[in-house]
Amino acid sequence: MKVLIVGSGGREHAIAAAVARSPRADQIYCAPGNAGIGQIAECVPIGAMEFDKLTAFAKEKAIDLTIVGMDDPLVGGLVDEMEAAGLRVFGPRKNAAILEGSKAFSKDLMKKYHIPTAAYENFDDPQEALAYLETAKMPVVLKADGLALGKGVLICQTLEEAKEGVRTIMEDKKFGAAGNRMVIEEFMTGREVSVLSFVDGRTIKIMSSAQDHKRALDGDQGLNTGGMGTFSPSPFYTDEVDAFCRKHIYQATVDAMAAEGRPFKGVIFFGLMLTEDGPKVLEYNARFGDPEAQVVLPRMKNDMLDVVEACIDGRLDQMELVFEDNAAVCVVLASEGYPVSYEKGFEITGLENFADKEGYYCFHAGTKAEGGRIVTNGGRVLGVTAKGATLQEARTNAYAAAEWVHFDHQYMRHDIGKAIDEA
Ligand code: AMP
Ligand code: GLY
């Protein structure tokens, strides 16, 4: 089979690596890809939002299957456009990707179908939002409706801060058109867990759980990032939590989307918070998590192409997902200054240390090949992942492997997976 993967981050590298393990994968392309992906796939210089070019490329190369990794092209309708051209694509259509593309939509869906989530109100008008805040309990959470690179969420401790936040989102349009509408919701406390799933429109199969570390610095200090590291499975995702979510959240979400005439095929990422009142949905994403994919996919025993095709063809009920009975930890090596501003173009050395090391992976995020060298090309540069028999062992291995590579102005968190000691 000829496979095209759309995206350029660590998640797409992990997807490409999973596809490459399939004996059915003859040739893998990635648009636009990065230097690491380029070692297992042929990278093509087409951006993820260049729908016409992607479609033309897939037709020209007779691509058998396209896997869309990123949220923007999914929400923008790439799957619809490629399907209209007769191509086979894995990912939700535009009318289903709205599950991630509009937080107001997803909150209304959860309310209508009694799926547990934080109490909330949606607003189109900043004056109404400001008036509502006068009676709201603090802290309060403000969310821009649309996609905002994971940055459109503000947790406000005081009324003043919250008012300022409404102005930032709806009037100053800090997150652009994503802030034309907003959700104001109740602040919840508890542990967060990421659960990824494969969905074929009707059937949902859950992958092994994970947890992300979103803040830039140790001890959950500093700004929110795309994710500084992950571990899988989460010891806090107990059988009891799993049973609750199966009963009240997973199938309920898939059924709700089908009932709304928006059948979801692809990956649903459930961002859950384990509150005192039970698990609640923080957010949905319509794709694999980054860097969740980097710890979940290396542990999946199934042939990735078999699972993806079962989703497309509506045969997921005949498939069982199987994960290795071990653990994985991913430590992100970032450029100093990320997530605000950082320099690019520093040479990365030591990558060869990962060659043929069973259970160790160096997933590339922001990298590029330049004159025979590989240089940094983004804020998150590498995701160093290691497996272990236990989470503790995986963490020790991942931090050891993080020392194998170097680039100038590199930083990482030193406490990825530390919470597992409390479990
Ligand atoms: P989201 O993009 O909706 O996942 O929000 C980003 C992060 O903000 C989440 O991972 C949580 O850490 C935090 N967050 C979002 N909603 C809430 C909430 N209702 N209560 C507390 N924290 C929240
Ligand atoms: N790691 C969180 C996300 O992919 O949105």
Side-chain angles (χ1 to χ4, degrees):
M1 259 173 103
K2 287 189 192 173
V3 182
L4 169 65
I5 296 163
V6 178
S8 61
R11 165 184 49 213
E12 285 74 24
H13 195 178
I15 294 171
V19 170
R21 284 199 298 275
S22 170
R24 296 171 59 215
D26 300 315
Q27 179 141 30
I28 309 173
Y29 297 93
C30 189
N34 61 38
I37 297 173
Q39 289 163 0
I40 49 173
E42 186 178 329
C43 294
V44 282
I46 304 177
M49 294 307 285
E50 296 184 287
F51 293 3
D52 291 350
K53 286 189 188 169
L54 289 169
T55 305
F57 175 82
K59 294 285 274 185
E60 180 200 315
K61 294 284 182 191
I63 299 291
D64 299 295
L65 172 69
T66 299
I67 300 176
V68 185
M70 294 171 71
D71 47 5
D72 283 306
L74 290 168
V75 170
L78 175 59
V79 172
D80 308 55
E81 196 157 320
M82 293 187 94
E83 279 183 352
L87 293 159
R88 226 163 130 69
V89 201
F90 177 67
R93 292 184 185 149
K94 186 176 183 172
N95 74 348
I98 190 175
L99 192 61
E100 171 165 7
S102 167
K103 290 189 190 286
F105 170 87
S106 72
K107 295 297 290 189
D108 286 347
L109 186 88
M110 287 187 267
K111 185 191 258 180
K112 182 169 171 188
Y113 293 92
H114 309 292
I115 297 167
T117 188
Y120 75 101
E121 292 286 339
N122 293 338
F123 296 93
D124 293 307
D125 174 0
Q127 294 314 318
E128 284 175 21
L130 291 168
Y132 171 84
L133 283 176
E134 299 287 345
T135 59
K137 194 163 151 257
M138 298 297 139
V140 75
V141 184
L142 312 184
K143 300 186 174 184
D145 179 50
L147 293 183
L149 298 169
K151 292 181 186 145
V153 175
L154 304 177
I155 295 174
C156 304
Q157 302 297 333
T158 64
L159 178 60
E160 272 322 299
E161 245 181 77
K163 285 180 167 171
E164 192 51 43
V166 166
R167 291 185 203 109
T168 305
I169 293 175
M170 296 193 91
E171 291 180 347
D172 306 343
K173 293 272 161 61
K174 176 155 181 219
F175 309 108
N180 290 349
R181 297 180 84 187
M182 67 178 288
V183 176
I184 301 186
E185 75 176 26
E186 166 202 12
F187 176 75
M188 303 190 288
T189 53
R191 263 188 202 289
E192 289 185 40
V193 182
S194 303
V195 176
L196 310 181
S197 65
F198 286 102
V199 184
D200 73 355
R202 280 179 307 145
T203 301
I204 177 165
K205 293 282 161 99
I206 301 303
M207 295 179 233
S208 186
S209 63
Q211 186 182 320
D212 185 10
H213 297 66
K214 289 207 170 81
R215 300 289 206 95
L217 307 174
D218 285 9
D220 286 330
Q221 302 295 308
L223 295 171
N224 257 320
T225 70
M228 291 298 293
T230 35
F231 57 87
S232 171
S234 164
F236 306 102
Y237 189 79
T238 59
D239 290 346
E240 192 189 350
V241 170
D242 182 65
F244 180 95
C245 295
R246 283 177 196 271
K247 188 157 178 222
H248 299 286
I249 296 176
Y250 303 146
Q251 190 67 50
T253 300
V254 175
D255 293 346
M257 290 299 281
E260 294 292 310
R262 301 170 181 275
F264 192 104
K265 286 189 180 196
V267 170
I268 300 183
F269 168 141
F270 297 86
L272 303 174
M273 188 173 268
L274 310 181
T275 76
E276 278 191 348
D277 303 327
K280 294 189 181 178
V281 178
L282 276 171
E283 64 160 346
Y284 293 116
N285 294 315
R287 49 163 177 88
F288 286 101
D290 189 342
E292 281 86 348
Q294 291 90 312
V295 285
V296 171
L297 289 179
R299 299 181 50 237
M300 189 169 83
K301 289 191 184 176
N302 303 71
D303 182 313
M304 177 82 167
L305 293 179
D306 289 348
V307 182
V308 162
E309 290 210 296
C311 289
I312 294 174
D313 297 332
R315 292 184 280 104
L316 200 55
D317 57 338
Q318 294 159 31
M319 180 155 276
E320 196 191 341
L321 295 186
V322 189
F323 285 81
E324 292 172 359
D325 184 19
N326 57 10
V329 169
C330 171
V331 177
V332 169
L333 306 187
S335 300
E336 216 169 73
Y338 172 74
V340 182
S341 66
Y342 46 84
E343 288 178 65
K344 301 179 186 177
F346 301 109
E347 182 172 7
I348 306 170
T349 57
L351 291 165
E352 67 283 357
N353 291 319
F354 286 84
D356 303 320
K357 288 249 184 23
E358 181 73 25
Y360 290 86
Y361 308 81
C362 187
F363 294 118
H364 291 220
T367 70
K368 97 178 164 188
E370 200 178 73
R373 305 178 312 160
I374 292 182
V375 301
T376 68
N377 192 39
R380 288 191 294 179
V381 177
L382 301 169
V384 172
T385 299
K387 291 184 194 172
T390 62
L391 280 162
Q392 280 83 358
E393 197 183 302
R395 181 177 62 194
T396 303
N397 294 345
Y399 275 107
E403 299 299 326
W404 301 347
V405 271
H406 295 282
F407 56 89
D408 285 348
H409 304 290
Q410 157 190 330
Y411 88 92
M412 64 179 154
R413 277 183 63 158
H414 302 87
D415 59 351
I416 301 300
K418 199 164 174 214
I420 56 190
D421 297 336
E422 299 159 24

